Amino acid sequence: MNLEKKFHRIKNMNKKFFYFFILLFSTILYSQNNIALVIGSYGIGGKVRFYKSFFAEAKIWPDSEIFIYSFKGSYNKNFSKKFSIGGGLEVSYINFKTEDLSGEGNYIMPVGCFEYFILEKLSLNVDLGLCLINLKAKDKSVFGPEFVTNLGINIYLK
Amino acid sequence: MKKLFFIIFLTKTTLLSWEVITIDTNVFIYGNGGICSLSVDKNGVANITYDILKSSGMNNYDCAIGYAKVISQTEIIKEIPDGNPDDFSEPYTCNGFIFTDQNNIPHIIYHKSSDYCFINASIMHANKPNQTWETISFSSGICCISTIRNDKIYSLILEQNIEKKLKITRLDINTNESINIKTITNIERIYDANIVVDGLENIYAVILISSTRAENCSYYNHYYYITPYGEKQIQKQVEGATTELDNYGNFYICYFKQGKIIFSKFIDDNFTEDTIESYVSSIYGFSNIVFDKNNNPNIAYFTANGTKFILKYVFFQNNRWNINEVYKIEFEGPVSGPINFGKICLAIDENNFVHLCFTVTTFGSSVEGLLYTKFSKPSSQPLSSEDTVKPASFHFGIKSAIKKKINELREKISQN
């Protein structure tokens, strides 16, 4: 990759970071309470409750090969103080760059969400979903479904 | 999302708009349909032979070998290389085979008999070196199939006498000298045969000899396989089949059995089988198998679906069979017995255009005649691997799922 291309890539990355953080902070701004830091098998990000049992979550996967920006909207119903079940939809933008191939794509994933509170401010999160992935590189594309499980820890700040 | 809906509504078979033209309605159709043969020259011009009716009178079976040169969809030259079409005293003629030589000159091999059973039929060679047809008789019997190599025509000829001999002859087109290379005896009835000659003039031939009806109403066919290294007989029970040898002498059979169309390659004394299409209610005949420049097979066949009689063209590309419907005739009732299918001939020219000619009629009713279509080989149709959905698997973490898709993408790019 020459310098010019590198520069454009960094420039594009910064743009995406900018949009991502706008999205993250706007959800925090409109949140009623319950703001959490999310660390999981799918990246790091923030989660907020913005209306009754409706949650919004923005995450990034910072990786040298695959960079994922994702946003999830979900509805979680508390069954007890410790346990909640819900469902939602996750959408994302993907940018990948391997040794021989670079390209971009996106996915859309309807998910079932399960959350278990280990402590008052700490919970374990499991998402099960059917992920429809679409990737493009060198004028070729692939599209298809994959079953995905994501594990995460939510640290509630408020 | 657009793509998702597309995938959901994607059916296995795609109907495209194929422009099918009628070359001749005056086609002699009998038994299992009209006979035709197709060869494409270096300029992409289709040369076709077929049986034409010389009269339409009652109980009149006179016919002649017809020749059609399809320069474009609107420019078709039709000739009768042998005899006057108005002369009803001409003998019964059928089963022509055509190809063009290195100088784009068409050569027709056909048999010509004065009796109904072709017992003493002459094998004729017609060509057009100086704008007029020249015809010679060089052997006797029923011509099955021929090929050309180094200005020599190699023919598999069945002699329909008591001994039932199959012979391979070689005709030099410059000297008209014909010699008998090989004779195989006790051949019953030939269902299909093919001959390929390589650059060193080694002969590869496959003969599908049929058939004795088994208890379960299936046919037992014997494949007689001739190579420079020896001869083999292979037993295989199939219902309707066509055979071909590719440019390397590998032997292939495409056949129909128990609702499936199967493409089979004979390698190391074993058949490796690949299903082209499942849940096929009936099959009304296969075309010849054509191998393109990448040695990928192409084939066409007639099948039926409810009230529709359908000609399908399939080709192997990107590790899968791609099925396309080329031609349909709609009937008032379900397609069953009263259909009289014809012969289908397939060829691919230097520019990857596919040429298809076929004869078709309904039994005892309207005659469709000899039909022809030329189309660009579908390389980016919706059924290409671009739209193939591979089965989903389970992943822990989204990254693993995306990595799988990147590998699929890498595989696809490397294939192209």
Side-chain angles (χ1 to χ4, degrees):
Chain A
M1 190 185 283
N2 61 33
L3 272 177
E4 197 184 349
K5 275 184 183 170
K6 244 181 193 172
F7 172 74
H8 277 290
R9 192 176 156 82
I10 291 163
K11 204 176 153 189
N12 286 338
M13 284 283 200
N14 286 341
K15 244 187 205 174
K16 277 156 200 160
F17 267 125
F18 176 73
Y19 295 136
F20 174 76
F21 283 111
I22 290 273
L23 199 65
L24 186 67
F25 284 117
S26 59
T27 49
I28 290 168
L29 206 66
Y30 284 97
S31 68
Q32 291 185 333
N33 48 38
N34 286 128
I35 299 170
L37 177 70
V38 180
I39 304 162
S41 62
Y42 46 87
I44 54 165
K47 177 180 173 180
V48 295
R49 184 166 73 89
F50 64 94
Y51 179 71
K52 290 184 179 176
S53 298
F54 289 94
F55 289 82
E57 201 174 315
K59 291 168 297 192
I60 51 168
W61 177 278
D63 186 289
S64 58
E65 281 192 344
I66 303 166
F67 217 106
I68 307 165
Y69 306 87
S70 68
F71 185 80
K72 187 175 89 177
S74 63
Y75 173 83
N76 274 29
K77 172 93 179 158
N78 289 325
F79 277 86
S80 68
K81 272 189 172 179
K82 287 204 156 187
F83 190 62
S84 74
I85 297 178
L89 191 73
E90 187 171 322
V91 290
S92 85
Y93 169 81
I94 305 160
N95 191 300
F96 63 93
K97 183 182 167 288
T98 61
E99 276 181 15
D100 57 336
L101 199 63
S102 60
E104 57 181 16
N106 50 57
Y107 72 75
I108 181 165
M109 177 164 67
V111 286
C113 319
F114 307 90
E115 191 173 3
Y116 180 76
F117 284 83
I118 304 162
L119 297 168
E120 196 189 342
K121 297 280 183 191
L122 183 74
S123 71
L124 184 70
N125 190 76
V126 181
D127 284 355
L128 285 172
L130 179 68
C131 185
L132 301 161
I133 306 170
N134 181 30
L135 294 182
K136 273 183 191 172
K138 293 182 181 173
D139 295 330
K140 297 283 165 199
S141 67
V142 286
F143 174 81
E146 299 294 337
F147 294 106
V148 173
T149 303
N150 284 328
L151 276 184
I153 291 167
N154 300 329
I155 304 160
Y156 284 88
L157 306 173
K158 107 175 183 189
Chain B
M1 283 302 281
K2 216 176 177 183
K3 198 157 188 176
L4 170 66
F5 288 119
F6 175 67
I7 296 291
I8 289 166
F9 291 110
L10 185 76
T11 54
K12 200 184 175 194
T13 305
T14 315
L15 181 64
L16 301 164
S17 53
W18 312 90
E19 195 188 345
V20 177
I21 56 165
T22 302
I23 290 180
D24 205 334
T25 53
N26 199 26
V27 175
F28 188 44
I29 294 174
Y30 55 91
N32 61 350
I35 303 287
C36 61
S37 173
L38 167 72
S39 172
V40 182
D41 68 18
K42 287 173 187 169
N43 302 324
V45 171
N47 293 269
I48 300 168
T49 55
Y50 59 106
D51 289 358
I52 57 168
L53 272 172
K54 294 178 77 176
S55 86
S56 55
M58 285 287 286
N59 300 319
N60 193 335
Y61 294 102
D62 285 342
C63 64
I65 197 84
Y67 167 77
K69 185 174 183 176
V70 187
I71 297 160
S72 70
Q73 300 285 84
T74 52
E75 197 181 351
I76 301 163
I77 296 164
K78 286 191 278 185
E79 290 169 355
I80 298 172
D82 179 22
N84 181 352
D86 298 324
D87 182 0
F88 297 158
S89 64
E90 281 293 314
Y92 199 109
T93 311
C94 76
N95 202 1
F97 187 81
I98 191 164
F99 41 82
T100 48
D101 66 18
Q102 292 169 344
N103 301 315
N104 267 4
I105 295 169
H107 294 260
I108 303 168
I109 305 292
Y110 63 100
H111 71 247
K112 182 174 176 177
S113 173
S114 55
D115 61 62
Y116 184 75
C117 300
F118 313 112
I119 287 169
N120 296 309
S122 290
I123 302 296
M124 312 294 287
H125 170 227
N127 67 346
K128 200 181 177 184
N130 302 313
Q131 300 303 312
T132 53
W133 288 97
E134 292 176 3
T135 306
I136 60 152
S137 171
F138 70 94
S139 186
S140 64
I142 296 172
C143 178
C144 297
I145 202 154
S146 303
T147 188
I148 192 164
R149 176 69 76 173
N150 302 340
D151 280 356
K152 295 181 190 84
I153 295 168
Y154 295 80
S155 301
L156 279 166
I157 296 165
L158 180 68
E159 283 197 342
Q160 279 285 76
N161 53 26
I162 298 162
E163 285 183 52
K164 290 175 182 168
K165 282 191 289 188
L166 183 82
K167 57 190 182 184
I168 298 174
T169 62
R170 189 180 70 197
L171 173 73
D172 191 313
I173 61 172
N174 298 317
T175 62
N176 282 343
E177 187 192 349
S178 169
I179 58 162
N180 194 10
I181 297 173
K182 192 173 192 64
T183 304
I184 305 154
T185 53
N186 292 322
I187 298 293
E188 292 167 34
R189 191 170 78 90
I190 292 178
Y191 194 93
D192 189 59
N194 266 300
I195 183 166
V196 170
V197 179
D198 66 17
L200 300 171
E201 301 194 5
N202 291 316
I203 297 168
Y204 298 82
V206 59
I207 303 128
L208 170 53
I209 305 160
S210 75
S211 61
T212 47
R213 194 177 275 271
E215 281 175 8
N216 61 359
C217 293
S218 294
Y219 286 96
Y220 284 109
N221 295 309
H222 313 271
Y223 292 90
Y224 203 86
Y225 190 32
I226 300 164
T227 69
Y229 319 107
E231 292 168 25
K232 269 179 202 154
Q233 186 152 310
I234 302 159
Q235 302 279 341
K236 193 158 181 69
Q237 187 181 346
V238 295
E239 301 162 31
T242 187
T243 60
E244 188 57 283
L245 295 157
D246 68 11
N247 296 329
Y248 310 112
N250 297 310
F251 167 42
Y252 296 81
I253 313 168
C254 187
Y255 65 95
F256 175 65
K257 192 173 184 181
Q258 292 165 350
K260 285 181 184 174
I261 296 168
I262 294 164
F263 194 80
S264 178
K265 182 181 181 181
F266 184 70
I267 189 161
D268 296 333
D269 280 345
N270 270 312
F271 284 97
T272 54
E273 297 193 331
D274 188 12
T275 301
I276 296 178
E277 194 180 0
S278 300
Y279 312 110
V280 179
S281 59
S282 50
I283 195 92
Y284 296 94
F286 290 104
S287 75
N288 51 319
I289 305 165
V290 177
F291 288 90
D292 61 20
K293 282 176 186 172
N294 300 319
N295 217 36
N296 281 331
N298 298 254
I299 192 163
Y301 48 85
F302 278 131
T303 183
N305 182 9
T307 59
K308 295 180 192 105
F309 182 58
I310 306 160
L311 174 64
K312 289 185 179 179
Y313 160 69
V314 299
F315 63 101
F316 192 78
Q317 192 166 283
N318 296 331
N319 294 319
R320 70 189 299 277
W321 289 98
N322 299 267
I323 306 173
N324 298 274
E325 291 181 4
V326 176
Y327 179 79
K328 270 184 192 176
I329 311 174
E330 193 101 24
F331 289 88
E332 284 178 10
V335 178
S336 56
I339 183 82
N340 199 353
F341 62 91
K343 170 111 173 153
I344 317 160
C345 300
L346 184 64
I348 298 176
D349 65 23
E350 303 264 316
N351 298 317
N352 234 18
F353 279 99
V354 181
H355 301 249
L356 251 176
C357 78
F358 54 100
T359 54
V360 66
T361 180
T362 53
F363 185 74
S365 59
S366 64
V367 174
E368 294 285 328
L370 176 71
L371 306 174
Y372 167 82
T373 182
K374 175 187 173 181
F375 52 90
S376 174
K377 190 173 173 178
S379 57
S380 56
Q381 296 301 334
L383 285 174
S384 70
S385 65
E386 205 148 308
D387 298 303
T388 304
V389 180
K390 295 207 173 174
S393 48
F394 189 81
H395 303 270
F396 181 73
I398 186 69
K399 194 181 168 187
S400 157
I402 292 168
K403 273 190 171 173
K404 184 190 164 191
K405 283 281 167 277
I406 291 172
N407 285 335
E408 280 176 22
L409 189 59
R410 187 177 286 123
E411 200 178 298
K412 191 172 182 175
I413 289 165
S414 67
Q415 275 172 8
N416 288 279

